[in-house]
Amino acid sequence: MRNWAGNIDYAARDLVRPTSLEELADRLVVGGPVRALGSRHSFNDLADTTGTHVQVDRLDDGRPAVDLDPGTGVVSVNAGMRYGEVSQVLYAHGRALTQLASLPHLSVAGAVATATHGSGDTNRSLAGAVVALELMTTAGELRRITRETDPEVFAGTVVSLGVLGIVTRIELATVPAFQVRQDVALELPWDAVLDRFDDVTGSAYSVSLFTRWDEPTVRAAWFKSVVSEGRGHRPDALPDLHWAEHDVHPVPGVDPGACTAQHGVPGPSHERLSHFRLDHTPSVGEELQSEYLLPRKHAVKAVEAMRGLGSVVAPLLMTGEVRTVAADDLWLSPFAEDSIGLHFTWLPRAPEVARVLPLIEETLAPFGARPHWGKVFAADPVAVRAAYPRFDEFRVLADRLDPEGRLRGGYVARLLA
């Protein structure tokens, strides 16, 4: 079995999809290496194991797969569900999540465990919406961990890389449903964007800047703005913006049919905040992805440094993206303070990409860049551990919940070695 991108052949000897908590417990107490597997969107071997892969998408614990508490607005979901599916159910009940990633096809547990994110100056990563989670340890014990009842360790259990247990349910904060419009501006001069970076990224609920780094302009800026009482407008962060007259795909030349609606047409937030539609497959996985997260205060200098690498990066790049993410307090989240993400969607040329990554990481190191857990990067595990001040506490927590280290495979085995 392979990951979605097709660049990783999993070493697991089998895959199980338990249909009950009892079945899951029976499998876990058997012994041997085991790892949770989500929608297989990691581009490295983070989710790999030499033992058994477990998917919980068919798990029935006696509760609705999407269980909304109308009093608190908290929704409890099966951890194997996809974000787009959860959002559709919430919308039918007048609720919404505050943020979504570019793809609504990601499993909730997998996205949360890796601190996957969308964009927006005030929007935290998807993990930032978690208020509680349930996981089953390798001893077959089901545990519910909440911010209120477990304040000492809650922040260490959310972005967990899957090494604390098999997550079965996740509880997320929601807000009243809201409408969003999406407008795409083309060819924004880099100098103007960097001179007014805060104005540009703050001009809409969510903003994404697309570039190949060797271009004199930002090729496309996607502005996702909240629509209030049926009204909305195009952002005016920069004068004389040139608005796209036709649908635009993040990758030049690709059919935009899989993209969410543009041209200012209002729609439910879950049909605009992601770049791609749930009912379409945005690609067949013939790509690689990298991303580096760094403090927002270094945004302009980091972007300028990356532009200096344009001639090296662009020949291997399908597209690049600049996004902003608000801070959280989660131990292994790369967003200890307000941050930006520099995202790279590569051509599927792994050996050449591998040669470029060390140069990118060396260039971004002075700005405190951390790699996205689920994407390809070159950084040594020792250096990655050092970037997280509470990593030693996380290791203690992992040792306590999984004393035999059965949940450690692939990259996390090297990280925790």
Side-chain angles (χ1 to χ4, degrees):
M1 185 170 59
R2 312 184 83 185
N3 67 336
W4 174 78
N7 66 311
I8 299 291
D9 288 303
Y10 292 126
R13 65 174 180 264
D14 62 352
L15 168 69
V16 298
R17 301 172 79 180
T19 59
S20 68
L21 291 173
E22 292 76 18
E23 187 180 341
L24 175 59
D26 289 343
R27 180 59 194 83
L28 290 177
V29 299
V30 166
V34 62
R35 290 282 285 161
L37 187 67
S39 53
R40 298 184 290 119
H41 278 87
S42 287
F43 291 82
N44 58 37
D45 63 347
L46 181 79
D48 206 4
T49 177
T50 57
T52 298
H53 268 141
V54 176
Q55 285 186 308
V56 297
D57 55 331
R58 296 180 179 176
L59 189 67
D60 182 358
D61 61 3
R63 290 172 285 178
V66 180
D67 191 8
L68 177 67
D69 183 335
T72 64
V74 172
V75 63
S76 173
V77 306
N78 176 301
M81 289 194 70
R82 298 185 299 172
Y83 267 97
E85 297 165 337
V86 173
S87 296
Q88 289 176 336
V89 177
L90 287 176
Y91 183 70
H93 289 84
R95 305 295 294 185
L97 299 171
T98 60
Q99 187 55 283
L100 292 171
S102 297
L103 290 175
H105 311 76
L106 304 179
S107 70
V108 175
V112 165
T114 54
T116 296
H117 61 94
S119 188
D121 287 3
T122 62
N123 298 324
R124 296 177 296 175
S125 77
L126 301 181
V130 177
V131 297
L133 54 80
E134 295 179 15
L135 60 81
M136 187 171 288
T137 69
T138 51
E141 176 191 6
L142 187 66
R143 300 189 56 173
R144 180 172 182 266
I145 301 171
T146 78
R147 184 176 287 277
E148 289 72 26
T149 61
D150 306 276
E152 299 85 3
V153 299
F154 174 80
T157 63
V158 180
V159 181
S160 68
L161 311 183
V163 300
L164 305 181
I166 304 297
V167 177
T168 59
R169 293 192 78 88
I170 295 183
E171 297 175 34
L172 306 166
T174 70
V175 297
F178 60 103
Q179 299 276 302
V180 171
R181 60 176 287 165
Q182 182 168 230
D183 298 275
V184 179
L186 304 176
E187 308 301 337
L188 287 69
W190 265 119
D191 289 345
V193 170
L194 295 182
D195 283 346
R196 300 181 60 182
F197 186 80
D198 290 347
D199 292 336
V200 171
T201 64
S203 64
Y205 185 81
S206 171
V207 177
S208 292
L209 307 176
F210 290 97
T211 179
R212 286 203 331 152
W213 297 112
D214 64 341
E215 302 158 322
T217 61
V218 175
R219 184 179 66 254
W222 291 32
F223 297 95
K224 303 169 191 279
S225 308
V226 173
V227 175
S228 177
E229 298 180 353
R231 296 189 298 273
H233 59 83
R234 291 171 172 171
D236 56 0
L238 295 176
D240 303 321
L241 287 174
H242 172 54
W243 298 100
E245 297 180 357
H246 304 284
D247 286 349
V248 175
H249 192 283
V251 179
V254 175
D255 184 345
C259 296
T260 48
Q262 302 169 18
H263 313 296
V265 179
S269 59
H270 67 277
E271 295 181 1
R272 298 294 184 274
L273 292 181
S274 292
H275 295 335
F276 300 101
R277 294 165 53 182
L278 179 64
D279 59 352
H280 280 59
T281 301
S283 76
V284 294
E286 294 177 349
E287 64 188 56
L288 299 173
Q289 293 183 15
S290 300
E291 187 173 30
Y292 298 94
L293 301 316
L294 51 103
R296 183 191 176 100
K297 62 190 177 188
H298 301 312
V300 172
K301 290 184 178 179
V303 168
E304 290 173 339
M306 275 308 310
R307 293 186 67 204
L309 297 181
S311 62
V312 178
V313 170
L316 297 173
L317 200 63
M318 298 171 71
T319 192
E321 183 177 2
V322 180
R323 292 179 284 181
T324 60
V325 187
D328 60 49
D329 64 346
L330 307 176
W331 295 358
L332 294 194
S333 165
F335 311 113
E337 55 187 286
D338 290 347
S339 303
I340 65 163
L342 304 182
H343 185 274
F344 305 82
T345 300
W346 305 103
L347 295 166
R349 292 154 61 177
E352 295 167 88
V353 171
R355 288 193 289 270
V356 169
L357 292 177
L359 178 60
I360 294 175
E361 292 174 9
E362 180 182 0
T363 299
L364 296 179
F367 310 116
R370 301 171 174 178
H372 187 296
W373 291 112
K375 304 187 187 296
V376 293
F377 55 91
D380 183 271
V382 175
V384 174
R385 289 197 297 265
Y388 291 89
R390 304 195 70 171
F391 190 88
D392 287 343
E393 293 174 75
F394 178 78
R395 186 196 299 274
V396 170
L397 181 60
D399 289 342
R400 187 171 67 189
L401 294 182
D402 179 28
E404 297 177 347
R406 292 170 50 204
L407 292 161
R408 302 180 190 186
Y411 177 76
V412 294
R414 301 189 295 277
L415 184 70
L416 290 165

